[in-house]
């Protein structure tokens, strides 16, 4: 798939125009611009958007530290509602899977149902305080998995945040009536986990690119011993190392998106590609954040400098929707299951 340059330019213009390094919470101006441009439902069946397009959008969002739940609304909650045959609510959305298979760092919780009323708490819900609705799937049997659409306005919100100050709130429902209920195909909760990991990988690749760009710019401006620090070989070597990590993250996440687009999320090769991408992007996040702060020195750790916007997201996102260890375990398990004769086709997608 070729890169959608028009979409990239549109995304960069929206996030650049609404960029505010001092603000926190939902960026309503950026969200409105994304809604009006159709970016909040980019991969809906009637739009013609692909996972490759979503990758372009999310990379730009990561690079700009955009404060909008694009992945949560489109790739996760919107997809899940459509899979269950229910209407996708308007506004910012999030999706939550309930069950033992949920990866650490993902939203979760417990819900009970009495008649048509739902009670319980959903934990670490992205952007919970600003959502219109939450789409919940409960892991179930082979005949399908129950999906509930809950009105976020009926929840009691306990505010919290990740290290990047992005909302990760607990939503408590007491006798709430769902906006809609439906049944998604068996395996929907597992697919939601893969979709979340893919989305997080794409955001990580973008944030790593943003950290590298800021570091290169600063190295060209900061003068020490009569010349820019970017002229020193040691700094050049660090930036080259960061560049290789950014390239690896971009390649791994883009390959996972292409595999998912072509083979579907139920395919073994997609599960392998997404696991490899999330693990590799997490490793890149650690290296790039370290190098970026080394290049910037003490100023990069201050709240006044916008480097923190991308490096804190690198640290937060590498541990959300499954950390490096979780996805490396999945890579290893897939390799063992494939065996000596199946490993090459699994890695390359070729017989």
């Amino acid at each position: 798939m070729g890169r959608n340059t028009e979409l990239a330019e549109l995304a960069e213009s929206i996030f650049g125009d609404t960029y505010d390094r001092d603000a926190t919470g939902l960026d309503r101006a950026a969200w409105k611009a994304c809604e009006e441009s159709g970016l909040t439902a980019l991969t809906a069946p009637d739009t013609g958007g692909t996972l490759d397009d979503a990758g372009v959008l999310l990379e730009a969002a990561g690079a700009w530290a955009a404060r909008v739940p694009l992945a949560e609304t489109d790739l996760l909650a919107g997809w899940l509602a459509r899979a269950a045959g229910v209407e996708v609510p308007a506004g910012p959305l999030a999706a939550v899977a309930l069950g033992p298979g949920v990866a650490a760092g993902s939203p979760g919780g417990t819900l009970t149902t009495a008649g048509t009323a739902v009670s319980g708490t959903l934990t670490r819900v992205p952007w919970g305080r600003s959502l219109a609705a939450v789409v919940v799937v409960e892991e179930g049997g082979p005949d399908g998995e129950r999906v509930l659409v809950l009105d976020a306005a009926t929840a009691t919100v306990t505010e919290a945040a990740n290290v990047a100050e992005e909302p990760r709130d607990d939503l408590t429902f007491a006798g709430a009536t769902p906006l809609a209920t439906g049944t998604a195909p068996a395996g929907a909760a597992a697919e939601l986990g893969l979709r979340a990991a893919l989305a997080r990988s794409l955001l990580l690749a973008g944030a790593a690119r943003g950290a590298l760009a800021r570091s290169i710019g600063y190295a060209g401006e900061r003068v020490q011993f009569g010349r820019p620090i970017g002229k020193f070989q040691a700094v050049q070597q660090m930036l080259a190392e960061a560049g290789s990590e950014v390239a690896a993250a971009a390649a791994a996440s883009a390959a996972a998106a292409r595999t998912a687009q072509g083979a579907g999320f139920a395919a073994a090769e997609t599960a392998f590609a997404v696991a490899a991408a999330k693990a590799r992007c997490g490793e890149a996040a650690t290296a790039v954040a370290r190098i970026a702060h080394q290049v910037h020195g003490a100023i990069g750790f201050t709240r006044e400098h916008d480097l923190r916007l991308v490096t804190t997201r690198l640290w937060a996102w590498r541990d959300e929707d499954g950390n490096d260890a979780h996805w490396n375990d999945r890579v290893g398990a897939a390799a063992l299951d494939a065996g000596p004769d199946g490993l090459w086709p699994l890695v390359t997608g070729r017989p």
Side-chain angles (χ1 to χ4, degrees):
M1 300 179 188
R3 180 177 173 84
N4 190 329
T5 54
E6 291 184 359
L7 177 60
E9 291 172 358
L10 174 61
E12 295 279 348
S13 67
I14 290 174
F15 301 140
D17 288 346
T18 58
Y19 182 72
D20 183 350
R21 70 181 184 186
D22 297 319
T24 59
L26 180 68
D27 185 340
R28 297 194 178 277
W31 178 259
K32 181 179 179 181
C34 288
E35 271 192 322
E36 292 173 347
S37 302
L39 301 183
T40 58
L42 183 62
T43 62
D46 57 348
T47 66
T50 66
L51 289 174
D52 190 56
D53 294 330
V56 171
L57 176 62
L58 294 180
E59 262 208 55
W64 282 98
R67 295 176 289 106
V68 283
L70 290 172
E72 292 84 355
T73 298
D74 179 28
L75 283 181
L76 305 184
W79 163 80
L80 182 57
R82 290 189 294 271
V86 300
E87 183 178 354
V88 179
L93 307 173
V96 177
L98 304 181
V102 177
S106 302
T110 57
L111 292 176
T112 59
T113 303
T116 60
V118 175
S119 300
T121 299
L122 302 178
T123 57
R124 288 188 53 80
V125 179
W127 308 95
R129 71 199 69 169
S130 303
L131 298 179
V134 185
V135 185
V136 182
V137 60
E138 298 175 323
E139 285 184 316
D143 297 328
E145 299 181 343
R146 186 172 73 139
V147 172
L148 306 172
V149 181
L150 301 177
D151 184 352
T154 65
T156 300
V157 180
T158 302
E159 295 188 357
N162 62 16
V163 71
E165 298 183 315
E166 294 180 304
R168 298 292 186 264
D169 301 330
D170 292 350
L171 304 183
T172 300
F173 297 88
T177 300
L179 296 172
T181 61
T183 302
E191 178 169 338
L192 182 68
L194 285 177
R195 284 175 167 268
L198 174 60
R200 201 63 62 190
S201 299
L202 294 163
L203 287 165
L204 280 165
R209 174 167 64 87
L212 177 61
R214 288 166 172 81
S215 299
I216 292 173
Y218 180 78
E221 298 168 356
R222 176 73 169 93
V223 175
Q224 188 73 30
F225 303 114
R227 55 177 174 164
I229 62 172
K231 297 292 185 180
F232 291 95
Q233 186 175 10
V235 175
Q236 292 174 351
Q237 184 173 352
M238 289 194 303
L239 291 173
E241 180 186 348
S244 68
E245 293 288 340
V246 170
S253 58
R258 287 195 299 270
T259 303
Q261 183 68 44
F265 280 92
E269 57 263 40
T270 298
F272 182 82
V274 170
K278 183 59 167 69
R280 188 63 188 87
C281 289
E283 293 169 3
T286 299
V288 172
R290 170 179 55 80
I291 292 169
H293 281 289
Q294 286 175 330
V295 170
H296 280 79
I299 194 173
F301 288 93
T302 63
R303 187 171 184 81
E304 290 73 19
H305 201 286
D306 66 357
L307 178 66
R308 67 177 174 82
L309 298 175
V310 284
T311 55
T312 54
R313 280 165 171 78
L314 288 172
W315 291 322
W317 292 343
R318 72 181 175 188
D319 293 330
E320 292 185 338
D321 299 306
N323 60 16
D324 297 358
H326 173 86
W327 291 108
N328 276 319
D329 283 347
R330 294 281 294 270
V331 170
L336 291 173
D337 290 343
D341 296 330
L343 181 58
W344 180 253
L346 180 65
V347 172
T348 65
R350 299 174 181 175

